[in-house]
Amino acid sequence: MKNTNKLQRNSFNFSIRSYLRTILGGCLIAASFISALVISNSSSRMITVWSAAVELGQGEVITSDDVVISKVLLPSNAANYIDGEVSIIGSSVVRAIGADELIPAYALSSQIDEQLKQVPIAISLTQVPKDIGSGQRVDIYGITKSELRSQSLTSGKFKSRLIASDLVIDQVDNQASALGGDLVITLLVPKPIIPSLIEDMGNYNFVLVGNR
């Protein structure tokens, strides 16, 4: 009789354990379906928008190297940003944009500022700020080449003058400097001062100073 009762208890305990395992298994399956549904809904709320790969200054014309497409969760103000399927190459920047910043629609214009022209200058790598790049603003100072020829390079008695201020860097070409040559920097220069800037290229050694 005792053995029969023991067998009944064991059978009952086994049934309970099997039942609990079945419920636990069902809960795990349900949880996996819910997780998949949540992930699916989150993915459907992702959108692609343009963001800046580098700093972009006012007046710059956007090239393919300046921007990237980013996938982000749908923000509440998504309408303020530009869909990644809409090309913005060739647009003009009307408001400075930081590197990695999502590009607001109001920061770009299809109308290029005709008063700003691209002017390249060649300058020694030692006469520019470290990590100089597209979108940064700089002032140009000059030391006359005649003064450099007449004085010792170590005298430290050179006189400089401000050539131009608050110019935006459009592009930086590092290829020549990598071969030991000068750095070639393309500046966005207001049209009225271009003649004097070009004239100063022949008379001065330029020094670029960061203007934040």
Side-chain angles (χ1 to χ4, degrees):
M1 185 68 177
K2 289 182 179 179
N3 289 337
T4 300
N5 291 337
K6 185 175 181 180
L7 287 173
Q8 289 176 343
R9 285 196 300 272
N10 289 341
S11 177
F12 177 77
N13 291 336
F14 177 78
S15 298
I16 291 295
R17 286 195 296 271
S18 297
Y19 178 70
L20 291 176
R21 281 197 295 269
T22 301
I23 292 177
L24 180 60
C27 291
L28 290 175
I29 292 172
S32 66
F33 276 117
I34 292 172
S35 297
L37 182 61
V38 170
I39 292 172
S40 176
N41 287 338
S42 296
S43 297
S44 67
R45 292 175 58 82
M46 300 289 283
I47 61 172
T48 55
V49 294
W50 289 101
S51 61
V54 295
E55 288 187 14
L56 297 172
Q58 182 178 351
E60 279 197 81
V61 177
I62 291 181
T63 68
S64 58
D65 294 330
D66 296 329
V67 292
V68 294
I69 293 178
S70 300
K71 197 171 185 179
V72 297
L73 280 173
L74 180 66
S76 58
N77 57 344
N80 292 338
Y81 298 96
I82 302 174
D83 192 312
E85 295 183 0
V86 178
S87 177
I88 60 173
I89 306 303
S91 299
S92 178
V93 178
V94 296
R95 191 270 282 171
I97 303 170
D100 300 323
E101 180 184 347
L102 298 183
I103 300 178
Y106 59 79
L108 300 182
S109 171
S110 59
Q111 302 297 319
I112 297 175
D113 188 349
E114 296 295 337
Q115 287 299 308
L116 291 176
K117 300 295 183 181
Q118 295 176 310
V119 178
I121 63 171
I123 187 169
S124 170
L125 188 60
T126 61
Q127 293 170 224
V128 299
K130 184 180 179 181
D131 299 327
I132 197 168
S134 175
Q136 295 182 10
R137 291 184 174 272
V138 293
D139 297 333
I140 301 179
Y141 286 83
I143 302 172
T144 61
K145 293 181 178 181
S146 58
E147 186 176 7
L148 285 171
R149 288 193 295 267
S150 63
Q151 296 192 40
S152 168
L153 292 175
T154 59
S155 67
K157 296 180 180 179
F158 303 116
K159 293 181 180 180
S160 64
R161 80 172 182 89
L162 181 63
I163 303 293
S165 63
D166 202 27
L167 300 181
V168 174
I169 295 176
D170 185 46
Q171 295 180 17
V172 177
D173 185 354
N174 294 293
Q175 293 184 357
S177 63
L179 299 174
D182 288 337
L183 193 65
V184 178
I185 297 175
T186 302
L187 298 168
L188 295 175
V189 182
K191 192 174 180 179
I193 70 169
I194 291 177
S196 62
L197 178 62
I198 294 176
E199 183 179 345
D200 287 335
M201 287 182 190
N203 299 323
Y204 290 87
N205 269 33
F206 287 165
V207 176
L208 264 58
V209 178
N211 182 347
R212 292 285 183 177

